[in-house]
Amino acid sequence: MGADWQPLRMLRVSLWSTADDASDWQVNASLLLSPDQLQAFARQVLAELSTPML
């Protein structure tokens, strides 16, 4: 392990539809991220949430 090594964090992401029809779906994923990657991901999510939806 080099000096740049950082312990990884596990992020579990679940997405699903809320439709009341036969098109229900669900996707689950687990990601191993460095702390820097996790912070970048969080910044992108917050930026998306602050952008008005059309």
Side-chain angles (χ1 to χ4, degrees):
M1 289 187 281
D4 294 336
W5 184 84
Q6 299 179 33
L8 298 178
R9 308 295 194 266
M10 182 174 285
L11 174 66
R12 182 173 170 102
V13 179
S14 295
L15 303 170
W16 60 92
S17 72
T18 57
D20 290 333
D21 57 20
S23 66
D24 289 346
W25 54 269
Q26 182 174 356
V27 176
N28 297 308
S30 296
L31 307 169
L32 288 175
L33 303 170
S34 71
D36 292 338
Q37 290 172 317
L38 186 55
Q39 287 177 349
F41 176 80
R43 278 193 295 274
Q44 289 177 333
V45 168
L46 291 173
E48 286 291 323
L49 291 175
S50 65
T51 303
M53 292 187 188
L54 298 175

